[in-house]
Amino acid sequence: MPLFLIERQFADELKLDAAGAAALREINDASGVNWLFSFLSADRRKTYCLYEASSAEAIREAARLAGLPADVVVEVSELRPEAFM
């Protein structure tokens, strides 16, 4: 399945509790989107998230349903350092 890196910018600090995370999982599951990993900026206003999804449009639709920004969506390839040794 294709991998996508999503950059999200928030007006305020991101605060996500267990209930909010569960709601996001439900939306992602219904949209065929699988969250893999996230990085949160030091000021808690930007995230960089790695997802598996069938398309960039599936990512954008899940974000829209969740009320989250998806400012930049880029399809990426997996890069493993050992492949270059």
Side-chain angles (χ1 to χ4, degrees), residues 44-70:
R44 302 182 64 88
R45 292 179 184 230
K46 189 179 280 191
T47 61
Y48 299 91
C49 305
L50 184 63
Y51 282 84
E52 290 178 322
S54 59
S55 67
E57 187 52 42
I59 296 282
R60 289 185 188 94
E61 178 63 11
R64 185 189 68 75
L65 292 171
L68 294 173

Side-chain angles (χ1 to χ4, degrees), residues 16-39:
L16 185 64
D17 59 14
L24 287 175
R25 267 192 303 279
E26 287 181 25
I27 291 168
N28 286 344
D29 288 347
S31 300
V33 171
N34 183 38
W35 169 80
L36 298 172
F37 198 84
S38 291
F39 293 94

